[in-house]
Amino acid sequence: MTIQINDKTRGVMSQLQLTQQTALPLRRAAADQQAWQRRLAEIATADREWERMLNRHAAQSQGPLVLTGVGVSPLLARWTARYTDSHRDTPVFIHHVGCTAESRSVDHLLHRLLDAIRLHCDLREPVPLSPEARVEVLPNWLARLAARGRAVLVLDRLDALEDAGAEQAMDWLPAWLPPMIRLVIGLAPGPAAEMLRQRGWNVEARSGDDSPGGDPSVEDRGADSARLLAALWATRRGLTRERLEALLPEVDVTARLEQLDDQVFTVDGRLTLAGPDVRDAVRRRYLADGGIRQNLQAAVAELFRDDLSEDALDERPWLLARAAHWATLADVLGSRAVLEALLTSDWRGDLVGCWRQWGTAAELVAFYRDRLQTWRGEANVAGLADLLLRLAGALRELPEAEDLDVFLRAALELESDAASLSGAAARSALGAWLADQQRLDEAETLLREALVLRQEQLGPDHGDTRGTRHQLAMLLESAGNIEAAVALYRDALRYREESLGKNHRELIPHLTNLAALLKADDALDGARPLYQRALQIAERQYGNIHPTTAACVDNLAGLLYAGQDLDEAENLYQRALGIAETVFGPDHPATAASAHNLGTVMDAREQYQMAETLFRRALDIRQNSAGDDHMDTASTLHNLAGVLDAMGRYDEAEPMYRRAVETWEKVVGADHPATATSVNNLADLLREKGEYDEAEGLYRRNIETWSALLGEKHPHTVMTRSELAILYADQKRVDLAEPMLREAVEQTAEVMGADSMQHINTVVRLAALLRDSGRRDDARGVLTRTIDRVEGKVNLLSPRVQKLRRHLDALDVKPDTLH
């Protein structure tokens, strides 16, 4: 499959790119789709009115067009071919659901579509292997496609998808499409059309009696025809005449096929059923029993025993998984020869798909651990180390994969020449795995060895070298060795610049990796030019309305926010929100993230009503998309509660804080920093409301949490002790409050600085306590000493100095206002 470009020169280049970069199963699927499209186009009759409507839709910026009724599939096949021929610069993707068995899977459709986008946009990321990840990245990849100009997507017979019921089968479709994406959907009459109409999509119904296909009258053509049709139904994408004859030796296959020309079509020498209606009819009439279907698929799989041809690799594992013949599938996938073939780039996705149906990650690791003992005992162990590395890499694609050390260490042991490419690969793979398991010391040693070897063998900018360097940098970062990690990120950027020049788009991730690390280390001045440069490259290479540009805008805005440049941060977050709304729509998680981020700036600028509006919008989206029990939802709940708290709307803020705490406890645990932060804010609010007992309990809980997580002298621990002391002062419990406030004054000055607002607030509260207990001179001394210390650190007109002076003056002028 490829996005179709019919210009002769460009068409040849596109096909060459497809051959080199697309996995073989997808190339075979493309041939199936093209053959079925040609067949449909041949039987289509011209319909100028409907073709003009399709042309208008492709030319205009409007929502998806849904066609339902008779003759829709031939109409779309004919129109797509004609449109592609007359619009050579517009990429067109078409998928006919039901032209083969696998084409009826949402996951397969997504795989083809994402691969087409990857090729057309020259994306470096591979298509994700899991179905869930494919659905998740689809809006982002469609936005990238749209950034390059108009693109037309034609999805025919979506009602024939078999993954779930009609409603679930449509859930993967994005509710919002970028303006440059033109989507046309073909459906048979039924509930699917009404579901899409309820989305607000334009649904047009055709009438007439020229619809091809329908239920085949196979009952009139004899039992042999029925057996032949059933055999073809069982396959992934059909059988050659020779294999049909081997499966059905008593059937005159040639004679039967002559009678079934309307129900069978041929592609690349393989015979397959002619569309979803024929497939459904064959299943209803001859294969209604699930056991019969499974036995037939197992029998067809036997045609490919001891065969490593493309047809065999394509069909046999797929057939056995569909038939649920797990023991036979284990024998097949446990064969070293088969596994070596399936672990190539062409078949790796198919292998992982079979694994997902076959068993859990733990079961598969145990299975291959047993196989490893057999392989080690074989006379020929050449290449086994490479097989084990590729096996471990594929197993890592499964959720919750563990205990892969056994394969990686075995590969390292088998590779006798430590300086070989395989030796370096084994060290890199094992080091990366151990780093993921937080076994950092052993991982660092292996990754350093692998990096030296790969730089010597492959050069400093080879893809494998870059991968190992990145793994080592991430490890050093997680271990707190920031200086060494920064050096590696700088090396990576320099080598890429030497290879690509200063303005290549592939520099963007290297710039942002280095900038993010510097930002985390509070080196904001060093990070800023890197983020700015990444944004400039993105704007030049991708334009202003592109997900990569939006990410770069967001990164720079976050840095400026951290540096208190709120004016420019607001401008950039506004821009990021505009891009997200354009390319992802008003209800996408990316839009929620942009609204949330802009809300944080408006909160910091004390524009609370605007912040509330933004946080409420982000919360609605996040609750609808991620649910109540999600980190993003908890984060927005916390921020919204903070804004309501700042506006004095305590009765609204309190339940928000409580929901945030409850959600954090579910998703990250009771002793997580995020949970503790929401607990602290809830305690502050309860203290302001005078609900001292519960607030005291929350403060004490948090002192224990922060002490355990960060230590006794961390700012969070010190701040919480200070807040508890202020609570005791509010309660007039001088015996408890005074010693804690004095300790807090010393600790906030030591840990946060004498000019920090937390220190100044604590000093003011201690002065108020001393004044209220009749020690006005002591209070004056505390304030005066603090002013003297602060004036040497900040400008005399600083709000912090002014606050101290106001309270010093208030000791005599307004003695009841010091607090």
Side-chain angles (χ1 to χ4, degrees):
M1 187 282 305
T2 183
I3 291 180
Q4 299 171 17
I5 302 174
N6 273 11
D7 175 80
K8 290 185 178 179
T9 302
R10 296 180 64 187
V12 170
M13 292 176 64
S14 179
Q15 187 59 43
L16 177 63
Q17 185 184 46
L18 174 68
T19 302
Q20 292 174 338
Q21 298 187 27
T22 297
L24 181 59
L26 287 182
R27 300 202 298 271
R28 292 165 69 90
D32 299 335
Q33 291 282 337
Q34 291 162 4
W36 181 237
Q37 182 180 358
R38 285 193 298 270
R39 173 162 175 154
L40 287 174
E42 288 170 359
I43 64 173
T45 56
D47 191 326
R48 301 301 183 193
E49 179 183 351
W50 284 80
E51 290 180 11
R52 281 195 295 269
M53 180 180 65
L54 287 164
N55 286 330
R56 287 195 301 272
H57 174 76
Q60 298 171 358
S61 178
Q62 53 187 339
L65 174 63
V66 181
L67 303 185
T68 183
V70 299
V72 166
S73 292
L75 169 69
L76 290 178
R78 171 187 162 86
W79 174 80
T80 302
R82 292 168 63 87
Y83 182 86
T84 304
D85 188 53
S86 60
H87 295 77
R88 298 179 179 181
D89 292 329
T90 301
V92 177
F93 172 87
I94 186 166
H95 182 91
H96 293 281
V97 175
C99 74
T100 60
E102 73 168 356
S103 71
R104 306 187 77 168
S105 160
V106 169
D107 189 44
H108 175 70
L109 190 166
L110 281 171
H111 194 181
R112 292 192 66 237
L113 175 56
L114 292 172
D115 193 65
I117 296 172
R118 179 183 66 84
L119 290 173
H120 183 72
C121 298
D122 193 24
L123 303 183
R124 293 296 180 260
E125 308 97 302
V127 175
L129 288 180
S130 78
E132 300 80 12
R134 288 173 180 171
V135 173
E136 184 177 351
V137 304
L138 179 60
N140 184 287
W141 285 34
L142 287 173
R144 297 186 192 194
L145 177 62
R148 295 174 67 97
R150 180 185 296 118
V152 178
L153 312 180
V154 181
L155 308 179
D156 178 37
R157 289 301 305 272
L158 284 193
D159 58 288
L161 289 168
E162 289 185 330
D163 298 71
E167 184 172 357
Q168 292 78 12
M170 300 295 169
D171 281 348
W172 63 274
L173 282 169
W176 174 273
L177 293 173
M180 296 303 287
I181 299 297
R182 311 292 191 261
L183 175 61
V184 180
I185 292 174
L187 300 172
E194 185 56 33
M195 290 174 189
L196 296 181
R197 191 194 305 274
Q198 290 174 7
R199 286 192 178 194
W201 293 4
N202 181 26
V203 179
E204 299 286 347
R206 298 186 88 225
S207 59
D209 58 2
D210 60 341
S211 179
D215 279 4
S217 55
V218 292
E219 68 275 8
D220 297 330
R221 302 184 187 180
D224 286 350
S225 294
R227 296 178 64 191
L228 189 150
L229 291 170
L232 293 179
W233 178 93
T235 65
R236 180 180 188 176
R237 58 170 51 94
L239 293 172
T240 63
R241 188 185 301 263
E242 292 74 20
R243 291 195 191 277
L244 269 175
E245 290 171 345
L247 180 68
L248 306 171
E250 70 283 7
V251 174
D252 185 344
V253 171
T254 300
R256 293 301 99 195
L257 288 173
E258 290 176 356
Q259 296 180 346
L260 299 173
D261 183 63
D262 58 330
Q263 294 152 21
V264 175
F265 77 101
T266 304
V267 52
D268 288 345
R270 287 175 283 110
L271 300 154
T272 190
L273 297 180
D277 295 324
V278 174
R279 289 186 174 278
D280 289 343
V282 170
R283 173 170 171 162
R284 283 194 303 270
R285 296 179 184 183
Y286 307 124
L287 298 169
D289 182 270
I292 293 176
R293 293 196 300 271
Q294 290 180 322
N295 289 337
L296 177 58
Q297 287 172 322
V300 175
E302 282 300 294
L303 294 173
F304 302 97
R305 176 188 285 274
D306 302 323
D307 188 346
L308 292 178
S309 67
E310 289 180 5
D311 283 347
L313 295 173
D314 203 13
E315 289 283 352
R316 194 177 186 204
W318 185 91
L319 284 163
L320 291 171
R322 294 278 286 221
H325 277 224
W326 306 120
T328 307
L329 182 62
D331 290 339
V332 172
L333 299 185
S335 160
R336 181 176 167 184
V338 174
L339 193 60
E340 284 176 337
L342 292 176
L343 281 170
T344 62
S345 58
D346 269 332
W347 299 101
R348 187 166 175 264
D350 274 23
L351 174 63
V352 174
C354 279
W355 279 347
R356 287 175 179 274
Q357 298 175 72
W358 180 17
T360 64
E363 291 168 336
L364 288 160
V365 169
F367 171 78
Y368 282 113
R369 187 188 300 120
D370 292 341
R371 280 291 192 268
L372 174 59
Q373 304 308 314
T374 301
W375 295 336
R376 276 178 154 170
E378 294 174 352
N380 179 18
V381 294
L384 181 55
D386 181 62
L387 172 66
L388 293 175
L389 290 177
R390 288 188 286 130
L391 174 62
L395 288 169
R396 287 190 73 171
E397 301 287 349
L398 299 173
E400 301 180 1
E402 296 179 352
D403 302 325
L404 300 184
D405 309 39
V406 62
F407 308 113
L408 297 169
R409 292 189 187 280
L412 193 59
E413 293 168 7
L414 286 164
E415 189 47 61
S416 56
D417 183 2
S420 69
L421 286 173
S422 294
R427 281 165 173 73
S428 184
L430 180 56
W433 172 256
L434 293 174
D436 286 350
Q437 308 306 305
Q438 295 301 304
R439 295 157 66 178
L440 302 185
D441 290 342
E442 186 181 0
E444 181 178 348
T445 299
L446 288 163
L447 288 172
R448 287 190 181 279
E449 291 174 355
L451 180 58
V452 170
L453 291 170
R454 284 185 154 169
Q455 288 186 146
E456 292 174 351
Q457 298 162 350
L458 304 170
D461 196 44
H462 187 278
D464 290 342
T465 309
R466 293 199 305 270
T468 301
R469 184 185 295 113
H470 184 67
Q471 289 285 347
L472 178 58
M474 290 194 299
L475 181 151
L476 293 170
E477 181 181 351
S478 65
N481 191 347
I482 303 301
E483 184 178 355
V486 166
L488 286 172
Y489 282 133
R490 289 195 189 279
D491 285 346
L493 177 59
R494 175 165 54 87
Y495 292 133
R496 285 274 77 192
E497 288 174 333
E498 291 172 358
S499 297
L500 303 171
K502 297 289 187 178
N503 298 307
H504 198 280
R505 65 181 185 174
E506 289 187 28
L507 297 181
I508 293 174
H510 297 279
L511 290 164
T512 54
N513 284 342
L514 177 57
L517 182 54
L518 292 172
K519 177 188 173 186
D521 198 38
D522 289 327
L524 304 187
D525 290 341
R528 183 166 183 166
L530 297 168
Y531 277 140
Q532 289 173 328
R533 185 177 163 201
L535 176 56
Q536 291 167 358
I537 294 173
E539 289 170 332
R540 282 195 297 268
Q541 298 291 330
Y542 298 113
N544 290 321
I545 307 297
H546 192 279
T548 301
T549 305
C552 291
V553 169
D554 191 81
N555 286 334
L556 181 56
L559 180 79
L560 296 173
Y561 172 76
Q564 294 301 300
D565 186 351
L566 299 183
D567 287 343
E568 189 58 26
E570 179 184 344
N571 291 335
L572 288 170
Y573 275 138
Q574 286 277 16
R575 180 181 171 190
L577 178 57
I579 299 173
E581 289 173 327
T582 300
V583 301
F584 297 121
D587 300 317
H588 190 271
T591 303
S594 294
H596 176 100
N597 290 342
L598 180 57
T600 62
V601 176
M602 307 314 291
D603 183 8
R605 304 194 71 175
E606 299 184 359
Q607 297 184 24
Y608 297 128
Q609 289 184 338
M610 178 61 72
E612 178 188 357
T613 299
L614 289 162
F615 286 137
R616 287 194 184 279
R617 179 181 180 189
L619 182 61
D620 286 343
I621 298 171
R622 286 177 163 177
Q623 286 177 320
N624 289 332
S625 61
D628 290 331
D629 297 336
H630 192 277
M631 293 178 64
D632 290 343
T633 304
S635 178
T636 304
L637 277 168
H638 173 92
N639 284 18
L640 177 57
V643 168
L644 297 171
D645 189 354
M647 289 191 289
R649 292 158 59 182
Y650 301 138
D651 290 341
E652 295 177 71
E654 182 180 340
M656 290 280 185
Y657 276 137
R658 292 190 185 279
R659 285 172 59 194
V661 170
E662 181 182 352
T663 305
W664 285 126
E665 288 176 337
K666 288 180 180 178
V667 298
V668 297
D671 298 325
H672 190 276
T675 309
T677 301
S678 291
V679 167
N680 241 72
N681 283 23
L682 176 60
D684 290 344
L685 182 146
L686 292 171
R687 188 188 77 209
E688 291 291 334
K689 292 179 66 176
E691 298 178 19
Y692 297 123
D693 290 344
E694 185 179 3
E696 178 183 358
L698 293 174
Y699 282 136
R700 291 195 173 280
R701 165 185 166 176
N702 257 16
I703 290 171
E704 293 182 6
T705 301
W706 291 127
S707 297
L709 289 174
L710 304 171
E712 296 289 334
K713 291 295 185 73
H714 190 276
H716 292 343
T717 312
V718 172
M719 180 188 71
T720 307
R721 284 203 192 94
S722 173
E723 299 293 347
L724 178 59
I726 291 172
L727 179 144
Y728 289 143
D730 290 345
Q731 291 180 287
K732 311 300 183 185
R733 298 166 68 180
V734 178
D735 57 330
L736 292 175
E738 183 174 346
M740 289 189 70
L741 280 171
R742 290 189 181 278
E743 181 184 25
V745 166
E746 293 179 3
Q747 289 187 344
T748 53
E750 175 188 352
V751 174
M752 302 174 202
D755 59 337
S756 70
M757 189 55 78
Q758 186 66 40
H759 174 67
I760 290 168
N761 288 340
T762 308
V763 167
V764 168
R765 204 64 187 83
L766 176 59
L769 181 72
L770 294 171
R771 181 210 60 197
D772 292 344
S773 60
R775 291 172 284 172
R776 197 175 301 275
D777 289 341
D778 288 346
R780 184 176 291 104
V782 167
L783 290 170
T784 302
R785 286 192 299 273
T786 305
I787 290 172
D788 291 341
R789 294 176 67 185
V790 172
E791 284 182 339
K793 295 178 177 292
V794 300
N795 188 286
L796 294 179
L797 298 179
S798 164
R800 300 174 188 183
V801 175
Q802 295 304 309
K803 178 173 183 175
L804 290 166
R805 288 196 177 280
R806 282 198 310 274
H807 284 82
L808 180 60
D809 294 342
L811 278 174
D812 296 315
V813 178
K814 296 179 181 179
D816 60 337
T817 61
L818 185 61
H819 56 80

